[in-house]
Amino acid sequence: GAFAIVVSTAAVSMAHESPNDGHIPANVNYGFDVIGRDTLGGVIDGKYTDVWSHDGYAYVGTFQEPDCTNAGVFVVDIDQAIAQYADGEGTEGAVVAEIKSAPNTRVNDVKVHRVGDTDVLIATEEPCGGSAPGGAVSDANINKACPLNNPDCQRNNDNKKAVGAPLQKGNGGISLFDVSDPVHPTPLAKNFYETGGVHNTFPWTYEGRSYLVGTADTFDFFDTFFVDITDPKKPELLTVTGALDWFAAGAFADGQFETGSSAGIFNHDVWVDVIDGTPTAVVSYWDMGFVTLDVTDPANPVFLGDSTYPDPEPIVGEPYEGNAHAAVFGGNGDYIFGGDEDFSPSSFAISYDGVEYPAGIALFGDDPATLTGNVEYAGGDGCASVPAPTGAEPQVALIDRGGCFFSDKGANAEAAGYEGYIVANNAGDGLINMSPGDNAIPTIPGVFIGQSSGDAIKANQGLPVAASSIFDGWGYLHVINNTGGDVTVPVGGQMSGNTATIPQLGELGYYAPAETVEEFDADGNPYGTDFGDLTMHNIEADPLTQGITPSFDEGPRMFVSWYSLGMRALEYRPGHFHDNSNDEGSYSENVHEVGRWIAEEGSNFWGVHVDELDDGTQIILASDRNLGLYVFTFSCETRTDTGETVFYCDPESDGTGG
């Protein structure tokens, strides 16, 4: 019960589902200029996913939400997208090809990589059709499937495969296409590495051979696969690895496992750069944080380390949410620019004597939201038995962690006559979602709370408890130390005089638009989900600035697609500290916003990719889930339209010290 995969919530997180059509209105646009557009297959909510580009053409995947179609990948002539937009009206007509996906199959991620003399498009495949009977985990995972007594997975010794829960209809895997002639793409390898789906990939070439690393939707702790694509017609699976391999190498040493409203441990995204001569991967591993691997030999990747989330998180002050979603290397490898994807601005909690206590949930038994009754401390770990309640009204047992499976504790509480149970951590305030063991499974609801929360309730037991929630904000951006040693950074702004020494893979800074961490707007109305998804999504480093030594006045830049909060341009600048007290519209530590853009009709940006035109002009491609492809340029500028200079790129425009 120390850690467990959450299949249902993880699947929802990967599906990027949003129950609303609201948007944050355009507020402050500066730095970005739209120079090109194409609406691809038309304005359709939830249709478009990632974007990549190569040799003058953009490639945009399709999510097919809410309908599961075979739209596949759109190929766009970037010059045409710019030309048609220049007349002020043209937003369609630049699509030169559409690579249809298999029936009931969506394409979340697209990458194009030069392999020898061939331009290779790598398209991920995930099922999106209706439910189908249980499928088989791939042969590559024969000896690694069904970990940790997963009740939805059992070994089938007849065919030596692990039989999983019911799957969706459609293909899972990757397909490779020759796009050397983008107008006439041709298949190279179809539906390779068939799993429950592949979410993201990243290709690279090293010492004459080409590889890719991918994210498999297996949810079995072995979900990071490596493929040799040197012959793209015959890709070769090299190895499959993941959390359980890394555990033995030192992962989880920080005690951070699963927490928050979308708890889970799984690979969501991957990126590779050659850093000081060493091919190095960063894997965004949800609540485990950002994992780094030496992939000099992709058949034998070596675990280097995993990041640790500050706990509590630094802006809202609630327990860390996790949800490491996407990351890239910055500063020529000295930093990791990583972001969390959190679609729920609130986390589960219990209310007791007027106090909200953050809580994890039991992944078995009744809905934890039904927890109610007066709390009575059982006086131990509840593994052998739980004393009968002393009161006549509904009672909830408070039980210490340790000694047995969580489900054993719950079953003993139920047998004693309790209507629910609370497990209090005995090793700090970290939260987890409780998985079952292989004995009796209770039907009553159960929750998990931190040690200090348990101590407070034990000292004041006998009062009623109820399920509740705590506002903990949306997902935002982190800058992680990847220098290989300690880095000292300012804390609270350059003028504060305070500093902190940050170890390897510790957090150097953060950035969040105000709307992501403030519960109410200026009129006192809750943001909730009425303004669309306010979490960040993808990120890329600006290659023109990665050699800059970070200072208060300048630093390596990154571009972020932030769903309904549009596009953001940020720089890692030690000494900056913003808490929206000057109406900056953001909260940040050692990170400074230098540009933003939201469409008048509202934005919903998913993908971002940096490239350049033939004349050397840098462009930023962005895919809007509803509106298709945008082409931006970016230029640093001092914003003066409000008479203030809190938004700027010009280092001379702000003398406030942060």
Side-chain angles (χ1 to χ4, degrees), residues 53-400:
S53 62
H54 180 78
D55 201 20
Y57 291 84
Y59 299 80
V60 182
T62 50
F63 196 73
Q64 303 134 339
E65 181 185 73
D67 298 322
C68 184
T69 69
N70 64 338
V73 180
F74 288 96
V75 185
V76 181
D77 184 325
I78 296 174
D79 286 340
Q80 177 59 31
I82 294 171
Q84 68 191 18
Y85 185 76
D87 63 14
E89 297 181 1
T91 58
E92 61 181 36
V95 174
V96 298
E98 182 180 354
I99 306 172
K100 296 288 188 178
S101 60
N104 300 308
T105 303
R106 65 179 177 233
V107 178
N108 172 76
D109 182 54
V110 288
K111 298 288 191 300
V112 180
H113 188 66
R114 184 76 170 176
V115 180
D117 59 359
T118 304
D119 295 331
V120 178
L121 166 67
I122 305 159
T124 64
E125 298 175 324
E126 291 179 300
C128 61
S131 180
V137 176
S138 71
D139 288 328
N141 280 351
I142 281 177
N143 297 316
K144 298 179 177 180
C146 300
L148 305 178
N149 298 310
N150 186 335
D152 291 325
C153 185
Q154 69 252 344
R155 179 76 62 190
N156 182 331
N157 289 319
D158 293 332
N159 62 15
K160 304 299 182 185
K161 290 187 177 182
V163 178
L167 303 175
Q168 289 180 294
K169 296 177 182 176
N171 286 355
I174 58 175
S175 286
L176 308 180
F177 298 87
D178 183 345
V179 291
S180 302
D181 178 0
V183 179
H184 301 99
T186 57
L188 293 168
K190 299 292 291 292
N191 194 214
F192 175 76
Y193 190 57
E194 173 68 30
T195 69
V198 172
H199 200 59
N200 287 298
T201 65
F202 194 88
W204 76 101
T205 296
Y206 181 69
E207 293 187 343
R209 301 198 68 83
S210 295
Y211 308 97
L212 67 80
V213 56
T215 298
D217 300 346
T218 50
F219 302 106
D220 63 358
F221 304 104
F222 291 95
D223 48 14
T224 305
F225 64 93
F226 291 83
V227 180
D228 188 321
I229 58 170
T230 305
D231 181 353
K233 292 183 178 180
K234 297 178 181 179
E236 177 187 358
L237 181 67
L238 298 175
T239 192
V240 182
T241 186
L244 289 189
D245 279 343
W246 306 332
F247 183 85
F252 302 124
D254 54 19
Q256 293 188 348
F257 298 109
E258 298 176 317
T259 189
S261 56
S262 56
I265 301 172
F266 56 89
N267 178 349
H268 184 276
D269 204 357
V270 285
W271 192 274
V272 175
D273 270 350
V274 178
I275 301 173
D276 295 329
T278 300
T280 307
V282 56
V283 184
S284 299
Y285 219 86
W286 217 245
D287 291 346
M288 185 175 163
F290 302 99
V291 175
T292 54
L293 306 172
D294 180 336
V295 294
T296 302
D297 177 5
N300 297 283
V302 177
F303 174 82
L304 298 175
D306 64 304
S307 66
T308 298
Y309 280 102
D311 192 12
E313 66 84 34
I315 305 178
V316 181
E318 298 298 335
Y320 78 98
E321 180 83 6
N323 299 9
H325 171 271
V328 298
F329 291 106
N332 297 323
D334 281 346
Y335 315 108
I336 295 171
F337 300 148
D340 303 334
E341 183 182 59
D342 177 12
F343 285 105
S344 173
S346 298
S347 288
F348 188 80
I350 58 172
S351 176
Y352 187 82
D353 195 22
V355 179
E356 307 294 334
Y357 294 104
I361 63 173
L363 304 174
F364 49 89
D366 286 348
D367 185 348
T370 64
L371 182 75
T372 184
N374 291 345
V375 177
E376 186 171 324
Y377 178 42
D381 61 21
C383 291
S385 64
V386 173
T390 60
E393 59 278 310
Q395 298 285 304
V396 172
L398 177 60
I399 305 169
D400 292 328

Side-chain angles (χ1 to χ4, degrees), residues 250-551:
F252 302 124
D254 54 19
Q256 293 188 348
F257 298 109
E258 298 176 317
T259 189
S261 56
S262 56
I265 301 172
F266 56 89
N267 178 349
H268 184 276
D269 204 357
V270 285
W271 192 274
V272 175
D273 270 350
V274 178
I275 301 173
D276 295 329
T278 300
T280 307
V282 56
V283 184
S284 299
Y285 219 86
W286 217 245
D287 291 346
M288 185 175 163
F290 302 99
V291 175
T292 54
L293 306 172
D294 180 336
V295 294
T296 302
D297 177 5
N300 297 283
V302 177
F303 174 82
L304 298 175
D306 64 304
S307 66
T308 298
Y309 280 102
D311 192 12
E313 66 84 34
I315 305 178
V316 181
E318 298 298 335
Y320 78 98
E321 180 83 6
N323 299 9
H325 171 271
V328 298
F329 291 106
N332 297 323
D334 281 346
Y335 315 108
I336 295 171
F337 300 148
D340 303 334
E341 183 182 59
D342 177 12
F343 285 105
S344 173
S346 298
S347 288
F348 188 80
I350 58 172
S351 176
Y352 187 82
D353 195 22
V355 179
E356 307 294 334
Y357 294 104
I361 63 173
L363 304 174
F364 49 89
D366 286 348
D367 185 348
T370 64
L371 182 75
T372 184
N374 291 345
V375 177
E376 186 171 324
Y377 178 42
D381 61 21
C383 291
S385 64
V386 173
T390 60
E393 59 278 310
Q395 298 285 304
V396 172
L398 177 60
I399 305 169
D400 292 328
R401 182 186 183 184
C404 59
F405 286 114
F406 294 124
S407 51
D408 292 344
K409 300 174 187 288
N412 289 337
E414 184 172 26
Y418 289 91
E419 300 294 325
Y421 62 100
I422 302 169
V423 176
N425 201 344
N426 61 358
D429 286 334
L431 299 178
I432 60 176
N433 287 339
M434 300 182 290
S435 62
D438 51 9
N439 300 316
I441 305 298
T443 62
I444 59 175
V447 303
F448 183 95
I449 60 175
Q451 188 170 13
S452 63
S453 301
D455 290 345
I457 296 175
K458 290 173 187 177
N460 186 31
Q461 61 177 304
L463 301 178
V465 67
S468 183
S469 65
I470 292 177
F471 176 79
D472 61 5
W474 304 73
Y476 58 88
L477 177 126
H478 310 269
V479 177
I480 307 296
N481 175 19
N482 193 48
T483 63
D486 293 347
V487 174
T488 299
V489 293
V491 175
Q494 182 170 266
M495 302 301 292
S496 73
N498 298 321
T499 62
T501 300
I502 309 299
Q504 167 74 355
L505 295 181
E507 183 166 300
L508 297 168
Y510 58 79
Y511 165 87
E515 295 91 340
T516 66
V517 292
E518 293 182 352
E519 190 170 4
F520 303 97
D521 66 16
D523 297 322
N525 301 311
Y527 283 111
T529 55
D530 294 335
F531 293 91
D533 296 321
L534 305 186
T535 181
M536 70 166 287
H537 193 246
N538 280 358
I539 181 170
E540 276 209 19
D542 178 353
L544 300 181
T545 64
Q546 298 313 302
I548 294 175
T549 299
S551 68

Side-chain angles (χ1 to χ4, degrees), residues 314 489-500 508-510 552 573-579 581 588-591 656-658:
V489 293
V491 175
Q494 182 170 266
M495 302 301 292
S496 73
N498 298 321
T499 62
L508 297 168
Y510 58 79
F552 185 82
R573 296 191 187 182
H576 281 273
F577 179 79
H578 300 284
D579 59 6
S581 57
S588 66
E589 176 95 74
N590 299 326
V591 178
T656 65

